[in-house]
Amino acid sequence: MEKLQMQTPEAVKINLEKLKALFPNFVTEAKNPNGQLVQVFDFELFRQELSEQLVDGQQERYQINWPGKRESLLLANSPIFKTMRPLKDRSIGFDSTKNLFIEGDNLDALKLLQETYLGKVKLIYIDPPYNTGSDLIYDDDFSMANDDYLKQSGQKDDLGGRLIANTESNGRFHSDWLSMIYPRIKLAKNLLANDGLIFISIDDGEVHNLRKVCDEIFGDQNFIANIVWQKKTSPDARMAISAAHDHILLYAKNAELMSLSYLQIDDERRKSFSNPDSDPRGDWASVDLTGQTGRAPKSQFYSIKTPSGLEMPPPEGRCWALAESTFLELQRDNRIWFGANGSNRPRLKKFISESEGIRPWTWWDNKSVGHNQESSQELKNLFDGNLVFDNPKPTRLIQRIVHLATNAKSEDIVLDFFAGSGTTAHAVMAQNALDGGNRKFILVQLDQEIQKGTNEFKADSVAYKLGYKTISSLSIDRIVRAGKLFNGNLGDHSVDTGFRVLKVDSSNLTDVYYKPDAVSQDLLSDQADNVKAGRTPEDLLFQVLLDWGVDLSLPIHKETIQGKAVYLVDKNALAACFDGNGGVDEEFVKELAKKQPLRVVFRDAGFKSDSVKINVEQIFKLVSPSTEVKCI
């Protein structure tokens, strides 16, 4: 019976297999640092194959580079031996919710989500730490020795702190920030649906570098916009020129497939609509009917006779935007406006009743989407007058992004892996309440400790005084408080305000730290029970879901069959029995097979005998031939 690997995929091996399938003549063998023969890809030979002239060393080319870039790429591709453990006592509506809150390092979380959510996320919004010279960034330590890496990746004792201050005196000031952001965005791209979008908030300090990084990862052809958000309402008198804005970079997974919703026509825009001719279709605004000549066909060069009798050719150097036949049809339908006296240049009437809305542009003013003061007040209102987080984003800002990039009629997934105070979850719930949508959110936040601080008025000191130990615990409470705003009075639909809390942790199994070729005979005796002490069946279940790529938000039902606990995920998507006492016999397997699950998993130590283990697959082939059977 095949065993589940229970680790994230080894991206290097996967990529090598893809290259081998495409270019088998470039795959050869070489010795690794341990002296073992392994398959490698001959890049030098490959480069020569693609060149019309002799290749001698690295060629100069347009790219962004920094010390540590190759290591950050390696880090993105390196597998980890971790899992996510469910925390029911910290969750809200665990059994029914479709939302997830993940506590832990977002690099680990992104790797763990690769199998389950590959190509399924419609929208990613992130607000990563700005590189201001004092903010904390993730310490991925790209130069560590192998033994240290084993500790940090969870294969040995914990290394310790995960955050460092990136000061301007650091010689790797920009490099460390780029090495932090690069692997995370690279992994995030894999999760985006083909028509998915990513919005990234950033300030002037790193926007130029972030743009180059995203151009490399997504391709510059998939750059959509650099949105400028007016984050303040007045200048800072302490600065020579006060920064009034932040940037929001927008990239598509595939620009040809992406689409954005229209914005609603606001009150200011409505003032430009009127109905001077008492048209029964209601208020309208007129738009220009001329266009650039360029490659315009002859059908767009003609004279128009106005109601007052004037013959009016197109303006000099311009043409009409419509063919004459189309224009005449619109004129018959009273959709052309010649002015009150009937002598003006014709314009096309656009009725507000027929408008889908307005297209967004790259300037987002604070009246439309909020500002820093609004977001701080919003948080204070939620936390009984206490400002518990510095520089949160306004809910209205993120809600606009959710509105533009997702569909109310689809169960679109919104991912934020720098969750901060949890504004993205708040915005998703708010938009669902507004338009009756069923969007789902996945938030990831590091369990960064909140320090007591010396200034009692600073947000971290206030949060500490209120009993919050970590940023993630504060995020969770913010989502709970925000969710109460959307309970009741929502008409005929309800908003999912719950969430499952999952915690990134070391693997539940004791033997996953050894790759198959590293397991020796003297280790096998230690694997009779390969589950770590203290790990629950629910812990094992979620590691199986991750490894098998099953949606982590699916409903889970527990029932008892012949005295053994069985977990059924989404009725028959997966059945799991983690009995480890050798009680799984053929009668139990036959009973379980009658449920005809798509997948079934057992604990290796749970079978009554080796013969039972051998017969399990045969039983399922007879009773439920479509079931995939594995064990851990």
Side-chain angles (χ1 to χ4, degrees):
M1 186 185 302
E2 184 180 354
K3 275 199 173 188
L4 287 164
Q5 293 300 310
M6 307 295 271
Q7 70 177 61
T8 58
E10 294 191 54
V12 172
K13 285 188 175 181
I14 294 172
N15 291 335
L16 183 61
E17 288 300 318
K18 291 178 181 177
L19 286 170
K20 185 177 179 181
L22 292 171
F23 311 106
N25 53 317
F26 297 124
V27 177
T28 183
E29 291 184 350
K31 288 186 177 181
N32 66 13
N34 297 324
Q36 298 170 315
L37 279 177
V38 294
Q39 284 191 335
V40 296
F41 191 78
D42 192 335
F43 289 101
E44 291 299 321
L45 183 61
F46 183 57
R47 286 170 56 212
Q48 185 62 67
E49 181 77 11
L50 299 179
S51 176
E52 296 180 353
Q53 49 190 305
L54 183 64
V55 173
D56 183 18
Q58 184 173 355
Q59 299 290 317
E60 293 181 343
R61 59 188 184 274
Y62 179 77
Q63 64 175 6
I64 181 173
N65 209 349
W66 66 89
K69 181 179 180 181
R70 287 187 297 175
E71 288 84 354
S72 67
L73 180 61
L74 177 65
L75 187 67
N77 290 334
S78 300
I80 58 171
F81 305 99
K82 294 193 176 184
T83 187
M84 293 186 193
R85 301 176 65 187
L87 303 179
K88 277 192 171 184
D89 58 329
R90 298 176 64 189
S91 303
I92 301 294
F94 186 94
D95 294 328
S96 59
T97 184
K98 298 289 186 179
N99 303 316
L100 301 177
F101 184 95
I102 301 169
E103 183 180 74
D105 189 328
N106 53 18
L107 186 65
D108 293 339
L110 288 169
K111 290 185 176 185
L112 290 168
L113 293 174
Q114 292 293 301
E115 287 289 314
T116 305
Y117 294 98
L118 184 71
K120 294 180 180 179
V121 175
K122 187 63 181 293
L123 166 64
I124 296 175
Y125 170 77
I126 56 172
D127 182 17
Y130 293 176
N131 201 11
T132 62
S134 59
D135 283 352
L136 294 170
I137 67 169
Y138 287 68
D139 180 17
D140 296 317
D141 199 350
F142 304 103
S143 59
M144 67 178 65
N146 184 57
D147 189 58
D148 293 330
Y149 174 74
L150 292 176
K151 291 179 180 179
Q152 186 162 309
S153 62
Q155 301 173 55
K156 292 190 176 180
D157 294 336
D158 291 341
L159 181 66
R162 292 291 296 113
L163 297 171
I164 59 170
N166 192 34
T167 62
E168 292 182 3
S169 60
N170 177 12
R172 291 168 51 97
F173 178 66
H174 290 289
S175 298
D176 279 351
W177 190 88
L178 287 167
S179 292
M180 178 276 295
I181 202 69
Y182 186 87
R184 289 166 171 83
I185 294 180
K186 188 175 186 298
L187 289 167
K189 179 192 175 186
N190 299 336
L191 301 179
L192 275 179
N194 288 333
D195 61 347
L197 296 164
I198 182 170
F199 292 72
I200 309 174
S201 286
I202 196 66
D203 66 355
D204 285 331
E206 292 290 354
V207 65
H208 52 298
N209 283 330
L210 182 60
R211 175 86 178 262
K212 292 184 177 72
V213 164
C214 290
D215 281 346
E216 181 174 304
I217 293 174
F218 290 94
D220 57 6
Q221 74 277 11
N222 290 313
F223 167 75
I224 305 301
N226 178 6
I227 299 164
V228 179
W229 165 52
Q230 185 187 16
K231 65 180 180 179
K232 293 186 177 180
T233 56
S234 59
D236 187 341
R238 298 170 298 177
M239 305 179 69
I241 298 181
S242 179
H245 69 278
D246 272 349
H247 302 266
I248 304 176
L249 295 183
L250 169 56
Y251 280 81
K253 179 76 169 287
N254 187 329
E256 295 182 355
L257 300 177
M258 60 80 63
S259 63
L260 289 170
S261 300
Y262 287 87
L263 294 176
Q264 286 187 338
I265 299 175
D266 56 29
D267 292 339
E268 193 65 31
R269 174 68 171 159
R270 285 179 182 273
K271 293 177 182 179
S272 64
F273 288 81
S274 61
N275 193 4
D277 61 347
S278 300
D279 194 305
R281 289 166 290 199
D283 290 352
W284 51 268
S286 65
V287 298
D288 186 24
L289 256 180
T290 66
Q292 295 179 347
T293 55
R295 298 181 180 179
K298 292 181 179 180
S299 60
Q300 290 177 222
F301 294 88
Y302 52 91
S303 290
I304 292 174
K305 189 173 183 178
T306 70
S308 64
L310 295 176
E311 290 288 335
M312 188 172 293
E316 186 176 351
R318 305 279 290 178
C319 66
W320 298 118
L322 305 170
E324 186 174 14
S325 58
T326 304
F327 173 84
L328 293 173
E329 184 178 340
L330 291 171
Q331 187 177 17
R332 287 191 293 269
D333 195 28
N334 191 25
R335 290 178 180 268
I336 303 298
W337 175 245
F338 292 93
N341 60 6
S343 300
N344 293 354
R345 183 190 301 166
R347 293 173 65 86
L348 179 64
K349 292 162 64 174
K350 291 284 189 179
F351 293 92
I352 195 170
S353 60
E354 298 174 353
S355 175
E356 294 182 81
I358 57 175
R359 283 294 187 188
W361 63 336
T362 57
W363 169 246
W364 292 8
D365 64 274
N366 53 41
K367 291 181 180 179
S368 302
V369 295
H371 45 73
N372 285 346
Q373 292 94 321
E374 175 183 311
S375 55
S376 294
Q377 187 59 49
E378 183 177 44
L379 207 59
K380 289 174 70 174
N381 292 340
L382 282 174
F383 285 86
D384 307 315
N386 298 294
L387 182 59
V388 295
F389 193 86
D390 285 321
N391 303 316
K393 289 294 185 288
T395 300
R396 285 199 292 155
L397 174 69
I398 314 305
Q399 191 174 344
R400 169 177 282 195
I401 292 173
V402 172
H403 165 70
L404 289 175
T406 62
N407 189 332
K409 297 179 181 179
S410 303
E411 292 190 354
D412 288 337
I413 298 174
V414 180
L415 169 65
D416 181 352
F417 51 90
F418 286 99
S421 68
T423 307
T424 298
H426 189 163
V428 170
M429 292 187 291
Q431 190 60 33
N432 283 342
L434 182 66
D435 61 18
N438 293 300
R439 303 168 186 85
K440 302 181 288 186
F441 64 76
I442 301 175
L443 266 61
V444 184
Q445 176 56 43
L446 186 69
D447 49 346
Q448 173 189 346
E449 289 188 4
I450 296 176
Q451 302 300 321
K452 182 177 182 180
T454 55
N455 186 339
E456 62 176 325
F457 300 107
K458 283 185 66 66
D460 54 352
S461 298
V462 173
Y464 185 89
K465 184 171 63 176
L466 292 174
Y468 297 103
K469 303 302 183 187
T470 63
I471 296 295
S472 54
S473 64
L474 188 152
S475 305
I476 288 172
D477 194 32
R478 190 265 175 87
I479 301 171
V480 173
R481 291 168 182 258
K484 293 177 181 178
L485 301 176
F486 308 107
N487 290 331
N489 301 320
L490 296 174
D492 58 356
H493 72 279
S494 60
V495 175
D496 183 359
T497 58
F499 51 91
R500 286 181 176 175
V501 178
L502 307 175
K503 182 178 179 61
V504 175
D505 206 338
S506 60
S507 173
N508 296 305
L509 306 185
T510 57
D511 62 346
V512 295
Y513 302 136
Y514 309 102
K515 294 184 179 180
D517 58 358
V519 179
S520 56
Q521 187 65 36
D522 59 330
L523 292 174
L524 295 179
S525 60
D526 297 329
Q527 306 306 318
D529 188 359
N530 59 354
V531 177
K532 288 180 180 176
R535 299 300 171 97
T536 67
E538 287 85 357
D539 292 336
L540 296 175
L541 176 62
F542 272 83
Q543 187 159 358
V544 168
L545 295 178
L546 284 168
D547 196 72
W548 228 325
V550 179
D551 191 337
L552 300 179
S553 67
L554 290 176
I556 299 169
H557 172 66
K558 180 181 176 182
E559 66 177 66
T560 301
I561 299 177
Q562 294 187 10
K564 300 171 186 62
V566 174
Y567 294 88
L568 300 172
V569 179
D570 198 26
K571 296 182 179 179
N572 71 337
L574 183 145
C577 177
F578 298 114
D579 186 288
N581 298 318
V584 174
D585 55 20
E586 292 186 5
E587 291 304 313
F588 169 79
V589 174
K590 290 176 182 178
E591 188 69 23
L592 183 57
K594 291 178 182 178
K595 293 186 176 292
Q596 298 187 326
L598 297 177
R599 309 171 186 86
V600 67
V601 62
F602 299 95
R603 190 166 164 179
D604 205 26
F607 297 109
K608 187 174 182 179
S609 64
D610 289 340
S611 62
V612 172
K613 181 179 178 180
I614 293 171
N615 290 334
V616 165
E617 289 181 307
Q618 297 303 318
I619 293 172
F620 272 94
K621 283 182 180 180
L622 290 173
V623 181
S624 179
S626 61
T627 300
E628 188 177 357
V629 184
K630 290 189 179 182
C631 67
I632 61 170

